[in-house]
Amino acid sequence: DQQVKQNSPSLSVQEGRISILNCDYTNSMFDYFLWYKKYPAEGPTFLISISSIKDKNEDGRFTVFLNKSAKHLSLHIVPSQPGDSAVYFCAASALMNYGGSQGNLIFGKGTKLSVKP
Amino acid sequence: DSGVTQTPKHLITATGQRVTLRCSPRSGDLSVYWYQQSLDQGLQFLIQYYNGEERAKGNILERFSAQQFPDLHSELNLSSLELGDSALYFCASSVARGETQYFGPGTRLLVL
C-alpha cells in the first residue's frame, strides 16, 4: 500500500507559466515533507521541504503548500523554465513520531515535468 | 554536487555473484541511508546507519547487508545476486536523523 502517492505520472506546461505538482499521503504520522528533482542518470536533488507545523514554505521560484487535514501537499514552480524539466519526487518522513525508524524517507513514484519553450 | 560520493558508478556482474557498493557521506553528516530504485518502482528505503550503528531497516533482502565504518563511509554488500537485483542504488546522508537527506549520484547495477 503506497503511503505517498503522486497520481500524475506526467505534466506538461509552457515556459513562464506555473507548474503545480501534487502529492497525497495516507500516514498521519508523517511530519516532514520534501520535494526532490531528478534528472536521468543522476541522484535526486533536494529542492524544498516543509514541516507539519507550517502550511507554506517558499524558496525562490519554488513554494510548497501543505494541507494536513486533506493529507495533501503541492509544489508550485513559478515561472517554469525549460531547465525545470525533470522527474519530481515527493517524500515524507516521521521525524518525531516513530521510535526506531524515524528518518527514512517514503517516496512517491514521481511526476515527470516537461516545460516547453 | 551534493557532496555525497558513490563508487562505482556502473557495475555489471553475473547472477550468483557478490558486489560491494561504497558511499562517502557529506562532511559532517552522521547518518547514511541506502535506497534502491528499480525500473517499475520508486525509491525504496533499504537501511539506515547513524554514527556507525544500524538505526532502521526497510525492505532489505537477507542477501543484502550494510555497514558504516568509523570514518562514516558506508558499504552495501549484495550477495547471491539475481536478475531482479538490477537497479539503481542510491546513498544519502543527513546531519543526524531524518532531516533533509542529500543523495549521491547512484550506482547502476546490472545483473546478467
Side-chain angles (χ1 to χ4, degrees):
Chain A
D1 182 31
Q2 273 191 277
Q3 297 185 68
V4 177
K5 297 178 186 177
Q6 293 177 256
N7 291 319
S8 299
S10 62
L11 175 68
S12 182
V13 300
Q14 209 63 36
E15 181 179 6
R17 306 295 291 268
I18 183 171
S19 295
I20 300 177
L21 297 104
N22 294 302
C23 177
D24 296 296
Y25 62 96
T26 57
N27 192 334
S28 57
M29 293 297 212
F30 289 147
D31 55 13
Y32 189 60
F33 305 89
L34 308 92
W35 284 93
Y36 286 84
K37 172 180 173 180
K38 188 179 182 302
Y39 294 116
E42 293 184 14
T45 300
F46 169 71
L47 273 179
I48 192 167
S49 62
I50 187 166
S51 162
S52 60
I53 63 173
K54 293 184 168 185
D55 54 20
K56 178 183 173 181
N57 189 26
E58 276 183 88
D59 185 0
R61 296 187 297 117
F62 302 92
T63 303
V64 56
F65 295 92
L66 175 62
N67 181 334
K68 281 177 294 189
S69 60
K71 293 191 176 69
H72 177 84
L73 64 155
S74 60
L75 174 68
H76 293 209
I77 306 173
V78 184
S80 302
Q81 300 172 355
D84 295 330
S85 298
V87 177
Y88 288 77
F89 289 96
C90 168
S93 72
L95 280 188
M96 307 302 293
N97 289 321
Y98 279 139
S101 64
Q102 69 264 32
N104 55 284
L105 297 175
I106 308 297
F107 281 86
K109 294 205 172 183
T111 296
K112 184 175 182 179
L113 173 66
S114 299
V115 180
K116 299 185 185 305
Chain B
D1 183 358
S2 67
V4 179
T5 61
Q6 288 186 250
T7 57
K9 197 168 175 63
H10 301 279
L11 201 46
I12 302 174
T13 189
T15 54
Q17 294 299 304
R18 173 190 163 96
V19 297
T20 297
L21 313 184
R22 184 188 167 103
C23 168
S24 292
R26 294 186 320 157
S27 176
D29 283 359
L30 298 178
S31 272
V32 169
Y33 310 78
W34 286 96
Y35 293 85
Q36 179 193 56
Q37 185 181 25
S38 304
L39 270 176
D40 58 346
Q41 298 285 332
L43 285 145
Q44 302 283 324
F45 168 69
L46 295 177
I47 197 164
Q48 175 200 354
Y49 279 82
Y50 173 73
N51 205 20
E53 291 187 11
E54 181 186 305
R55 283 294 176 166
K57 263 184 171 178
N59 298 321
I60 188 166
L61 300 170
E62 285 192 13
R63 299 183 286 108
F64 295 1
S65 65
Q67 54 184 332
Q68 186 180 29
F69 294 87
D71 67 353
L72 301 177
H73 91 272
S74 177
E75 292 180 358
L76 179 66
N77 300 297
L78 316 176
S79 61
S80 303
L81 284 167
E82 301 175 0
L83 296 177
D85 297 328
S86 297
L88 272 165
Y89 291 85
F90 291 103
C91 166
S93 72
S94 68
V95 173
R97 280 176 278 177
E99 60 287 82
T100 302
Q101 296 176 25
Y102 295 89
F103 283 76
T107 293
R108 182 176 292 276
L109 174 66
L110 181 59
V111 182
L112 299 174

